[in-house]
Amino acid sequence: MDLDTVRTFVAAADAGRFQEAAAELAISQQAVSKRIAALERGLGVRLFTRTARGAELTIDGQAFLPHAHELLRVAERAAASVRTGHRPLRVDILASRGAASGLMRGFHRAHPEIDLDVVMLLDMDTAVAALRSGTLDASFRAVGAPGRPLPEDIAYVRVLDEPLELLTGPAHTLAGARSVPLARLAGHRIWMPGLTPGTEWTAYYDDLVAEFGLTIEATGPNFGSDALLDTVADTPALATFMGGHTRLVWPAGHGLRRIPVTDPTPVYPHALLWHRDNPHPALATLRAHLAATTAGHDAAGTWTPAWAAPR
Amino acid sequence: MDLDTVRTFVAAADAGRFQEAAAELAISQQAVSKRIAALERGLGVRLFTRTARGAELTIDGQAFLPHAHELLRVAERAAASVRTGHRPLRVDILASRGAASGLMRGFHRAHPEIDLDVVMLLDMDTAVAALRSGTLDASFRAVGAPGRPLPEDIAYVRVLDEPLELLTGPAHTLAGARSVPLARLAGHRIWMPGLTPGTEWTAYYDDLVAEFGLTIEATGPNFGSDALLDTVADTPALATFMGGHTRLVWPAGHGLRRIPVTDPTPVYPHALLWHRDNPHPALATLRAHLAATTAGHDAAGTWTPAWAAPR
DNA sequence: CTAGGGGTACAACCGGTGGTTGTGGCTGGG
DNA sequence: CCCAGCCACAACCACCGGTTGTACCCCTAG
């Protein structure tokens, strides 16, 4: 099935005659005939009944037609997603299940008419470079990590403080706790594969470790959060940190426990970054939406790294 | 943009290396390279950064990837829509804005997991033939028109009685009425273009005309309901009938009036038809859904043709 | 009944797209 | 420093998909 062929099918169905469709597409009637025949051969059904004064859709053709339209629409959107100028708003988030993802879902619900593309970049350097080059419109990051000054033309605003929670399996010592003070985590094995050196979120956990005497193991390759959760659920002595806004889709009965951390509660300081001169109209809408929906939380009893950009 | 090329792109993005993608697709690495290059040329952006040990997505590539997946999914669904055996449930309705359309929307809302295709056939003969041939799974029709016995193997059940309403422009004599007795319509011009002789719905209006002394003009070609409504809205002496369950999407201020008809209220007897031996699992689900949701209305004060199949 | 017009399918031909193999260049690791 | 691994370029060739020319079918008008 070829998109040009599908386009031809739609044109022929629209016109009701191959000749007219051929004229529209600026090809010969015979070419249309051959394309349709090829499509019918490929699908294994007859799409048109050829009559003396044209061609009309069979029932199979009628059923196929809306799908053909949809196919062309999706193809158009796919091409638009990488068109320079007037492309969908492109936003970078840390992980598909993190807090930024939830914010973008909320934005999409509030403004379904705005086309969005979400990408996931690893480190802030590429994100900043992409913002400056215009390849990216906005990025959710924690701003202010030491030794990483933001260029002048990158603007940002704190948008969300996300409290961290401890994730354990059912056999973990702390599994029954309703909450756990941060200091009590010292000595426990906390496993966070995928902590890439040099990234701002690794800097966050480095500071957390240094300040409260925790031990975090970043060993082993990151096989994805599913594998991580699987291991944590099955290993009594293992726990991990997880953003409190993460939505878990997890089979019931697995017994994973999410335990709030207190005294203080570590919160991750999400900020939105963008290029000062980015002219994308939807960017202003996104900023307004975030400003309106993410009310400032009380910072009392919480911890963020000293370098975190102020609210 | 060609679907095979998109498939290649997805495979290469998945694998992270052109060679591996080539092995999966059973073509040479050079072919993958050329396909990707062609796609990039067509889109006008670079999708991969080629490194010494593979190829990884650029930001544009990351943005394009979900659209590519969607494209392949839609293509798969399009092909499935005409696959013989295990294709989506295919239902025939009279008009895209009629009551049957509303019933199917409700069914889709209740069972979003069931794939549907909706087609619109003109006359019952083709519908019945399609049901018997297996090209069609179900059809919403009025059953029982004289001289048109249903074959033995076609089963049916009355599912919905739809009251007719009068549709007028703001300047019509009856525009202010809250309801109008059927007898008062005698002498008024009622315009219903598109009444094709020989169809069951034309038989319905023929009976209505004969029994209550109405005059219905079926003159002129049917330019679609939009044109019909436009004319009715602008012509003071003109009115038309419309199913009471029809959802009109009409610019505000046009002043179209929908007036219930009484004494008696003509109702259109929608039935669902299917082939007795049709094995499609979703057909049973549809029948159960319709049985559960379309409660029997009170027939008092309503009119249906004498030939209408009993409830 | 016949002639004509409008419509589609088939045949023959041909150019360019898209595959192949062979090869070279780049890069990171031993 | 060289080798291994991977991608791009070049040359070649088959076949897909376009073109023109023509046959055939059906409906309609005279």
Side-chain angles (χ1 to χ4, degrees):
Chain A
M1 198 185 342
D2 167 33
L3 283 182
D4 272 337
T5 307
V6 173
R7 247 179 287 275
T8 308
F9 166 76
V10 169
D14 248 8
R17 273 172 292 138
F18 286 5
Q19 296 214 122
E20 195 174 325
E24 273 180 39
L25 301 171
I27 56 176
S28 68
Q29 165 268 319
Q30 289 87 336
V32 172
S33 179
K34 277 172 90 169
R35 283 189 184 178
I36 300 290
L39 185 59
E40 287 175 329
R41 189 155 27 81
L43 293 173
V45 296
R46 210 148 184 65
L47 296 172
F48 288 96
T49 57
R50 281 75 163 170
T51 77
R53 62 183 170 292
E56 56 188 30
L57 287 173
T58 63
I59 298 176
D60 281 315
Q62 281 193 49
F64 186 71
L65 182 57
H67 296 276
H69 272 123
E70 173 75 359
L71 199 53
L72 298 182
R73 237 195 52 214
V74 171
E76 170 54 35
R77 290 171 65 104
S81 74
V82 293
R83 209 187 324 276
T84 53
H86 297 86
R87 63 158 166 65
L89 188 72
R90 194 178 291 173
V91 181
D92 157 51
I93 64 177
L94 261 189
S96 62
R97 295 208 270 252
S101 168
L103 291 176
M104 289 313 295
R105 274 196 298 272
F107 177 67
H108 178 63
R109 230 177 297 124
H111 298 275
E113 79 284 1
I114 294 182
D115 285 333
L116 290 177
D117 279 318
V118 171
V119 299
M120 287 161 50
L121 303 181
L122 283 180
D123 62 316
M124 179 168 274
D125 289 343
T126 42
V128 166
L131 288 174
R132 303 182 85 179
S133 74
T135 322
L136 183 67
D137 298 311
S139 175
F140 284 93
R141 296 276 156 181
V143 171
R148 296 297 185 81
L150 278 182
E152 272 293 311
D153 49 357
I154 300 295
Y156 65 88
V157 59
R158 277 272 283 279
V159 291
L160 185 68
D161 283 2
E162 184 183 25
L164 256 49
E165 294 179 346
L166 193 72
L167 200 78
T168 74
H172 195 277
T173 317
L174 299 169
R178 300 193 49 122
S179 70
V180 55
L182 188 47
R184 273 210 52 199
L185 296 181
H188 285 283
R189 289 181 63 200
I190 298 175
W191 189 40
M192 301 203 67
L195 279 187
T196 316
T199 62
E200 80 280 7
W201 78 87
T202 298
Y204 176 91
Y205 285 106
D206 284 346
D207 270 34
L208 188 63
V209 162
E211 199 155 336
F212 296 95
L214 311 182
T215 44
I216 291 185
E217 307 172 17
T219 57
N222 186 8
F223 286 120
S225 67
D226 281 355
L228 166 63
L229 298 185
D230 230 356
T231 307
V232 166
D234 293 340
T235 312
L238 216 53
T240 190
F241 278 129
M242 160 159 296
H245 293 189
T246 306
R247 284 197 197 170
L248 278 193
V249 184
W250 202 247
H254 236 331
L256 278 173
R257 309 293 161 86
R258 300 176 67 154
I259 306 167
V261 180
T262 59
D263 306 307
T265 300
V267 300
Y268 194 84
H270 295 277
L272 183 77
L273 285 73
W274 68 95
H275 192 279
R276 218 169 34 191
D277 303 331
N278 187 314
H280 202 302
L283 178 58
T285 315
L286 173 62
R287 286 172 48 197
H289 172 84
L290 291 176
T293 57
T294 62
H297 293 332
D298 192 2
T302 68
W303 174 90
T304 50
W307 47 258
R311 289 198 65 95
Chain B
M1 199 185 340
D2 167 33
L3 283 182
D4 272 336
T5 306
V6 173
R7 245 179 288 274
T8 307
F9 166 75
V10 169
D14 255 4
R17 273 173 294 135
F18 286 6
Q19 293 210 130
E20 195 175 325
E24 273 179 39
L25 301 170
I27 56 177
S28 67
Q29 165 265 319
Q30 289 87 336
V32 172
S33 179
K34 276 171 90 170
R35 282 188 184 179
I36 300 290
L39 184 60
E40 287 176 328
R41 191 155 28 81
L43 293 173
V45 296
R46 208 141 237 296
L47 296 172
F48 288 96
T49 56
R50 280 75 163 169
T51 77
R53 63 183 171 291
E56 55 188 31
L57 288 172
T58 63
I59 299 177
D60 281 314
Q62 282 193 47
F64 186 71
L65 182 57
H67 295 277
H69 272 123
E70 172 76 359
L71 199 54
L72 298 182
R73 239 195 50 214
V74 171
E76 170 53 35
R77 291 171 66 103
S81 74
V82 293
R83 203 182 334 269
T84 53
H86 297 85
R87 62 158 167 64
L89 189 72
R90 195 179 288 174
V91 181
D92 157 52
I93 63 177
L94 261 188
S96 63
R97 294 208 270 252
S101 167
L103 291 177
M104 289 313 295
R105 273 196 299 272
F107 177 66
H108 177 62
R109 232 176 298 123
H111 298 274
E113 79 284 1
I114 293 181
D115 284 334
L116 290 177
D117 279 317
V118 171
V119 300
M120 288 161 50
L121 303 180
L122 284 179
D123 62 315
M124 179 168 279
D125 288 342
T126 41
V128 166
L131 288 175
R132 303 183 84 180
S133 74
T135 321
L136 183 68
D137 299 310
S139 175
F140 285 93
R141 296 276 157 180
V143 171
R148 295 298 185 82
L150 278 183
E152 272 291 313
D153 50 357
I154 299 295
Y156 66 87
V157 59
R158 276 272 282 278
V159 290
L160 184 68
D161 282 2
E162 183 182 26
L164 257 49
E165 293 179 346
L166 193 72
L167 198 79
T168 74
H172 195 276
T173 317
L174 299 169
R178 299 195 49 125
S179 71
V180 54
L182 189 48
R184 275 210 50 199
L185 296 180
H188 285 283
R189 290 181 63 200
I190 296 174
W191 188 40
M192 301 203 67
L195 279 187
T196 317
T199 62
E200 82 278 7
W201 77 86
T202 298
Y204 176 91
Y205 285 107
D206 284 347
D207 270 35
L208 189 64
V209 161
E211 197 154 338
F212 296 95
L214 310 182
T215 45
I216 290 185
E217 307 173 20
T219 56
N222 185 8
F223 287 121
S225 68
D226 281 354
L228 164 64
L229 298 183
D230 229 356
T231 309
V232 166
D234 293 340
T235 314
L238 215 53
T240 191
F241 277 129
M242 159 158 296
H245 293 190
T246 305
R247 282 198 199 171
L248 278 192
V249 185
W250 202 246
H254 237 330
L256 278 173
R257 309 294 163 85
R258 302 175 67 154
I259 306 168
V261 181
T262 60
D263 304 310
T265 299
V267 300
Y268 192 84
H270 295 278
L272 183 77
L273 285 72
W274 68 94
H275 191 280
R276 217 170 30 191
D277 302 332
N278 187 314
H280 202 302
L283 177 58
T285 315
L286 174 62
R287 287 170 49 196
H289 172 85
L290 291 176
T293 56
T294 61
H297 294 332
D298 192 2
T302 67
W303 174 91
T304 49
W307 46 259
R311 288 199 64 96

